[in-house]
Every structure is written in structure tokens, then in C-alpha cells.
């Protein structure tokens, strides 16, 4: 049973639990016997210049157990506008569909707003992310890093967003190595 969930910043003591969250949440997407790419990605992002510690959040369930994690890293729109790339977001399979991912999304978007970022972008399911205010990124003048992503590349304008925030989106440098 999952009771109340606390969303908080990750600490150094959470790293192994965060690895476990992503390992289990993305197990079905990894080749048989291989570690999901999200585990190594989150570990490597911590050393990337785009890492924003205040935007690596865990969901802590009963007894202080880490049951979910989300991260947003700094990227760019065009050459002059800072922006955030969201992901990965993962929730332990046994607590999925209980509001943990929803709570993580609202927390990371609120934190991004509080830090003054104008927009958050992600590559994701078109039927899921609009409930959090995401729209097709091209509809607000933001082009995906890969044109093949089309409508799956979405953006969420935040209160600091202005119409001049337009151009090609670039994730934190590490994403280019994937």
C-alpha cells in the first residue's frame, strides 16, 4: 500500500535507489539482460554542465523508500534562450498508476517555474503529457533536435516564456552522445 508521497530533492544517499527506480521502470524497454539506458543516463547527467541539482527530484513513499524520480537538465532554444529538457521520469512498477508520476511532474514544473525557466521540453507520448500543459513544440516555435520526432516532441511554456523564445531545441550536451 502506498500512503502519502513526499517529493524532495535527491541527495547523495538516493543514488542507488534512483538507479533501481529507473532500472525497474524501464526494464521492458531494454534488450534482454541489459541495463536500461536511463540508469546510466541519469548517473552521467550528474556530471554534465546542464545538471540542475534543484531539478532532480525523488518521490519518497512510506518509510522513506524512494519510489520515483524525475530530472530536468538545462538545454537551449536557439542560441540565446535557456530551457529545460525533462527526463527521464520513472516510477517503480508496483506503485505506477497511483499518482506518483503525476506528483513528480507537477513538482518539477513548479520548481522550473520558480527558477525562472521559460520552457520545458520533452520527447513523449502525445496522449499523456498534454494533461500537464505540454503542446506540440513546433506550435510555439520550438523545433525538435530530430525532425523525425514530429508531434512527439512537446514543450510546456512557463510564466517566464515570451514569444521570442523560438528556434531549435538542444538538450544538455550528454544527450547528443546517446
Amino acid at each position: 500500500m502506498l500512503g502519502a508521497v513526499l517529493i524532495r530533492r535527491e541527495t547523495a544517499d538516493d543514488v542507488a535507489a534512483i538507479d533501481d527506480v529507473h532500472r525497474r521502470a524501464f526494464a521492458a524497454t531494454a534488450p534482454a539482460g541489459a541495463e536500461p539506458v536511463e540508469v546510466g543516463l541519469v548517473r552521467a547527467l550528474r556530471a554534465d554542465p546542464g545538471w540542475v541539482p534543484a531539478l532532480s527530484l525523488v518521490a519518497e513513499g512510506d518509510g522513506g523508500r524512494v519510489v520515483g524520480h524525475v530530472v530536468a537538465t538545462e538545454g537551449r532554444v536557439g542560441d540565446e534562450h535557456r530551457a529545460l529538457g525533462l527526463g527521464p521520469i520513472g516510477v517503480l512498477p508496483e506503485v505506477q498508476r497511483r499518482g506518483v508520476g503525476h506528483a513528480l511532474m507537477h513538482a518539477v514544473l513548479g520548481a522550473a517555474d520558480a527558477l525562472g525557466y521559460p520552457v520545458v521540453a520533452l520527447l513523449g507520448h502525445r496522449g499523456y503529457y498534454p494533461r500537464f500543459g505540454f503542446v506540440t513544440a513546433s506550435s510555439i516555435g520550438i523545433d525538435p533536435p530530430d525532425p523525425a520526432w514530429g508531434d512527439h516532441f512537446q514543450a510546456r511554456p512557463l510564466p517566464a516564456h515570451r514569444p521570442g523564445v523560438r528556434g531549435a531545441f538542444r538538450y544538455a550536451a550528454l544527450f547528443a552522445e546517446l
Side-chain angles (χ1 to χ4, degrees):
M1 172 117 179
L2 181 67
V5 174
L6 170 70
I7 307 297
R8 62 170 175 78
R9 285 176 59 166
E10 83 165 55
T11 68
D13 292 340
D14 297 322
V15 171
I18 290 168
D19 286 354
D20 188 54
V21 164
H22 292 297
R23 186 175 295 115
R24 294 179 56 209
F26 294 99
T29 65
E35 177 118 301
V37 68
E38 291 81 3
V39 176
L41 174 61
V42 172
R43 281 186 167 264
L45 281 170
R46 289 185 183 98
D48 188 275
W51 182 256
V52 182
L55 298 175
S56 182
L57 306 175
V58 297
E60 187 178 279
D62 298 330
R65 177 179 176 220
V66 172
V67 297
H69 175 255
V70 66
V71 63
T73 50
E74 190 163 309
R76 309 290 296 172
V77 172
D79 291 328
E80 58 195 69
H81 305 287
R82 67 189 193 129
L84 292 171
L86 191 136
I89 179 171
V91 176
L92 290 176
E94 64 269 23
V95 297
Q96 289 176 2
R97 297 184 181 7
R98 294 190 188 172
V100 175
H102 191 87
L104 284 166
M105 282 296 294
H106 282 290
V108 77
L109 291 172
D113 176 28
L115 292 172
Y117 285 93
V119 66
V120 178
L122 58 76
L123 177 63
H125 193 278
R126 293 181 304 156
Y128 182 75
Y129 291 101
R131 73 188 71 191
F132 301 105
F134 284 86
V135 297
T136 301
S138 62
S139 74
I140 59 169
I142 299 174
D143 301 319
D146 182 340
W149 294 354
D151 291 348
H152 292 279
F153 186 67
Q154 300 166 62
R156 167 64 152 84
L158 297 172
H161 184 266
R162 299 294 174 259
V165 179
R166 302 176 71 78
F169 183 84
R170 287 190 322 269
Y171 279 99
L174 181 65
F175 282 90
E177 299 172 17
L178 292 177

